[in-house]
Amino acid sequence: MKTTHQINTLFFALLCLTASSVFMSNNVQAAKWDASMTPTEVEATLDKKFAEGKYSPKGADSCLMCHKKSEKVMAIFKGVHGSIDSSKSPMAGLQCEACHGPLGSHNRGGKEPMITFGPTSTLSADKQNSVCMSCHLDDNRMSWDSSHHANGDVACASCHSVHAEHDPILSKQTEMEVCTSCHAKQKADMNKRSSHPMKWNQMTCSDCHNPHGSMSDADLVQPTVNETCYSCHAEKRGPKLWEHAPVTENCVNCHNPHGSVNDAMLKTRAPQLCQQCHAGDGHTSNAYLGNTDMGSTVNGSAFTGGRSCLNCHSQVHGSNHPSGKLLQR
């Protein structure tokens, strides 16, 4: 029993040490008021401060008396939010308090709460986002409230870096890194053998998705999945003389747009993919075309040789040939 107790004690110590190292490595620090106030009390205090409206007459100068030693704080003056030349910048108005709320008595000891953003904030994502949306509610964000990110309680500050010269999410070279920090499954898919060129930053998530929400499925930038695909793959757009039903219905019936281990990003390799719909149609369950040894030699079956069903039905996206009823021409 004593040995077991020692092992458990050691395990707990290691767990605490690991958590402490992660905490320190992420440079995460709780606000001073978090030690004495609950999240509900913080929110109530902030609401009261806004009602009183006690802003500092000196603006950012009052804040910088304490915060100017922080590189992260001072970095805002390198970006658009800290620009004093733009009338749309917070610095042209209430400055720091435009986002962080009225100063009130915060500078008298620093324990009176201000609005904070990011993973350490005690405020809900909805409260944090209301500050951002007070300026950024435009046509591109009109569907934010119904977006996947909003419904998932994702804060703007989870993706955007305001106190920075260049916001990583707004750069084509770093957008993927930000998105895949949460979307791990999509990151795995885009590194599979067949995928869109996202891992080389030749395409980005925002080419297809609007992260701030849209009126279509999966927050796509176009009204439908097919319209989104056709914006690049125009040669697949119909109408065709002979159409293939799953193609006109939805491209993702057959393809995984984020990547696949199969050619052409197919969800399943042919003929299994084709047989999901054509299981009982004629020769689809018994390949009598091609070589007749039915697989006793390499490439001896029309189902396994080369492109499988596409050996004959090559125009699988639709045909405009008068004799292309079976999508063979």
Side-chain angles (χ1 to χ4, degrees):
M1 292 295 292
K2 183 177 180 180
T3 303
T4 304
H5 176 72
Q6 290 175 338
I7 293 175
N8 289 337
T9 302
L10 179 60
F11 176 77
F12 180 75
L14 289 172
L15 185 63
C16 292
L17 180 62
T18 302
S20 176
S21 63
V22 172
F23 184 83
M24 294 299 292
S25 64
N26 290 333
N27 208 15
V28 174
Q29 294 181 351
K32 291 183 178 181
W33 51 84
D34 289 336
S36 58
M37 303 176 69
T38 65
T40 303
E41 291 173 336
V42 170
E43 188 170 329
T45 303
L46 288 171
D47 289 340
K48 181 181 178 181
K49 288 180 65 176
F50 268 99
E52 295 174 348
K54 294 181 179 179
Y55 292 92
S56 170
K58 296 182 179 180
D61 290 340
S62 298
C63 306
L64 295 179
M65 288 178 64
C66 296
H67 295 286
K68 64 182 178 181
K69 294 181 179 180
S70 170
E71 293 183 4
K72 181 178 180 181
V73 170
M74 298 304 292
I76 194 172
F77 294 104
K78 299 179 181 179
V80 294
H81 286 86
S83 174
I84 60 175
D85 299 328
S86 174
S87 61
K88 296 181 179 180
S89 169
M91 285 297 160
L94 293 173
Q95 301 182 343
C96 304
E97 293 168 281
C99 297
H100 295 283
L103 181 66
S105 301
H106 172 74
N107 58 339
R108 299 173 186 174
K111 291 186 178 181
E112 184 177 273
M114 302 290 290
I115 298 176
T116 56
F117 301 89
T120 62
S121 176
T122 54
L123 291 177
S124 66
D126 188 51
K127 283 286 186 179
Q128 295 180 52
N129 294 344
S130 65
V131 177
C132 305
M133 298 302 285
S134 63
C135 291
H136 293 285
L137 186 59
D138 54 23
D139 292 346
N140 291 328
R141 300 166 184 84
M142 62 184 298
S143 298
W144 168 254
D145 289 334
S146 61
S147 70
H148 286 72
H149 283 135
N151 291 332
D153 291 330
V154 177
C156 302
S158 297
C159 303
H160 291 279
S161 299
V162 174
H163 282 257
E165 182 176 2
H166 301 291
D167 189 349
I169 194 67
L170 299 181
S171 171
K172 189 173 182 177
Q173 300 303 315
T174 52
E175 178 183 328
M176 292 297 303
E177 182 179 350
V178 178
C179 296
T180 55
S181 64
C182 290
H183 298 282
K185 182 181 183 300
Q186 286 70 27
K187 182 178 183 178
D189 286 341
M190 78 181 198
N191 283 288
K192 292 177 179 177
R193 61 185 290 265
S194 177
S195 66
H196 283 113
M198 294 184 288
K199 56 188 174 184
W200 297 291
N201 299 317
Q202 294 176 359
M203 277 184 66
T204 60
C205 304
S206 58
D207 289 333
C208 300
H209 301 277
N210 183 346
H212 301 111
S214 72
M215 301 301 290
S216 59
D217 291 339
D219 291 337
L220 293 172
V221 295
Q222 299 293 338
T224 65
V225 172
N226 282 19
E227 286 298 321
T228 304
C229 300
Y230 293 154
S231 61
C232 290
H233 303 280
E235 75 282 2
K236 302 296 189 296
R237 184 195 299 271
K240 305 278 189 179
L241 181 61
W242 304 104
E243 294 185 333
H244 194 186
V247 175
T248 58
E249 180 184 84
N250 197 327
C251 299
V252 298
N253 284 335
C254 300
H255 300 277
N256 181 350
H258 296 109
S260 169
V261 295
N262 303 302
D263 290 338
M265 293 184 287
L266 291 174
K267 289 184 172 181
T268 308
R269 185 186 181 279
Q272 286 81 12
L273 178 65
C274 307
Q275 287 176 321
Q276 291 177 4
C277 294
H278 300 283
D281 296 348
H283 64 273
T284 53
S285 59
N286 186 15
Y288 60 84
L289 300 178
N291 295 332
T292 57
D293 49 12
M294 298 303 293
S296 61
T297 61
V298 176
N299 293 338
S301 169
F303 271 7
T304 59
R307 301 173 68 216
S308 186
C309 304
L310 278 68
N311 287 332
C312 300
H313 306 281
S314 58
Q315 303 303 312
V316 69
H317 290 101
S319 172
N320 277 321
H321 195 283
S323 299
K325 180 179 180 180
L326 300 179
L327 307 180
Q328 293 178 319
R329 303 167 181 249

